[in-house]
Amino acid sequence: DAKTTQPPSMDCAEGRAANLPCNHSTISGNEYVYWYRQIHSQGPQYIIHGLKNNETNEMASLIITEDRKSSTLILPHATLRDTAVYYCIVRASTGNQFYFGTGTSLTVIP
Amino acid sequence: EPEVTQTPSHQVTQMGQEVILRCVPISNHLYFYWYRQILGQKVEFLVSFYNNEISEKSEIFDDQFSVERPDGSNFTLKIRSTKLEDSAMYFCASSRDNLNQPQHFGDGTRLSIL
């Protein structure tokens, strides 16, 4: 089962930063945090992942708290095309499967 | 950027018929997966495959399901005798390793059982 808790929905104004929180209070030392998103019924799209350090790529930034019990995905300048369901997933480095919860439905408003 | 491709995008099949869903994983990836998503529900893991063997499978992946890598590029999911409840989106994914590299997903095959 999913080991993460996310708000079911969020709104964000176009052009503003979208900050999506995730709680993973039972995360273990060898578990990574991954973020994916799903637009309509397309396949889940990988965004970013990290273990304990903050990470940034061309899509987003991932901020992981020092105790690793929570993280925040930041989309710096949200566009209408960022409207999607965002999934926060934790997975052990030796695991095979990703457990997808219900995610956060982000709506970017013009 | 390399991507996972799946065919067909939509498959309609009569109940009881066999169906084969096809996937071409990213070329330098070694681990392959199938997931499904019933309409309005969560994405669920079915099976993972490495070195021509199933490495993990879920309770959903019963004897009606099988996977195969028939050549160097394709990865297939076969459902032997389809049921109405098999109607879903089926997503293939691949990854370079199963340590910390992410899985990359295709856009899925919508399977409709009549």
Side-chain angles (χ1 to χ4, degrees):
Chain A
D1 280 17
K3 298 188 197 179
T4 62
T5 304
Q6 299 177 253
S9 63
M10 291 180 63
D11 293 338
C12 177
E14 188 179 16
R16 303 295 294 268
N19 296 280
L20 292 92
C22 179
N23 284 322
H24 30 80
S25 57
T26 60
I27 193 169
S28 301
N30 67 345
E31 289 183 316
Y32 284 73
V33 180
Y34 296 79
W35 282 84
Y36 282 79
R37 72 182 182 184
Q38 190 174 27
I39 299 171
H40 299 301
S41 291
Q42 294 177 21
Q45 179 189 21
Y46 166 73
I47 302 173
I48 199 166
H49 76 288
L51 182 62
K52 52 186 176 181
N53 297 323
N54 297 337
E55 302 287 344
T56 295
N57 63 20
E58 65 279 2
M59 288 182 72
S61 295
L62 172 61
I63 309 298
I64 303 174
T65 57
E66 198 168 334
D67 63 7
R68 302 209 322 122
K69 292 185 177 181
S70 66
S71 60
T72 301
L73 178 75
I74 301 172
L75 307 177
H77 306 286
T79 71
L80 299 179
R81 287 178 294 179
D82 292 322
T83 292
V85 178
Y86 287 77
Y87 299 99
C88 168
I89 301 168
V90 296
R91 193 194 72 162
S93 61
T94 54
N96 279 301
Q97 56 179 292
F98 282 114
Y99 291 101
F100 286 83
T102 52
T104 295
S105 178
L106 174 70
T107 301
V108 180
I109 301 168
Chain B
E1 186 173 317
E3 57 183 28
V4 176
T5 56
Q6 292 187 242
T7 54
S9 56
H10 190 190
Q11 174 78 46
V12 181
T13 302
Q14 292 287 332
M15 185 173 59
Q17 296 296 304
E18 174 183 286
V19 66
I20 296 176
L21 309 182
R22 291 182 165 80
C23 168
V24 179
I26 294 173
S27 62
N28 63 347
H29 286 187
L30 301 177
Y31 290 79
F32 314 112
Y33 313 85
W34 284 100
Y35 290 77
R36 80 172 186 190
Q37 186 175 31
I38 294 170
L39 185 63
Q41 298 187 22
K42 301 176 189 178
V43 176
E44 302 173 288
F45 170 79
L46 292 178
V47 66
S48 60
F49 191 85
Y50 169 71
N51 199 26
N52 281 321
E53 287 185 347
I54 290 174
S55 47
E56 188 175 352
K57 61 183 181 179
S58 70
E59 291 179 355
I60 303 168
F61 194 88
D62 61 21
D63 292 344
Q64 293 298 315
F65 291 88
S66 62
V67 289
E68 191 179 33
R69 188 154 164 81
D71 53 43
S73 59
N74 290 286
F75 179 51
T76 61
L77 174 69
K78 182 195 294 186
I79 308 175
R80 224 176 313 278
S81 176
T82 50
K83 304 187 281 281
L84 294 176
E85 53 264 38
D86 293 327
S87 295
M89 285 291 292
Y90 287 81
F91 297 111
C92 173
S94 69
S95 63
R96 265 188 283 167
D97 62 38
N98 72 338
L99 297 176
N100 63 12
Q101 291 301 302
Q103 297 175 14
H104 295 272
F105 287 75
D107 274 337
T109 293
R110 180 176 301 281
L111 178 62
S112 300
I113 307 300
L114 305 179

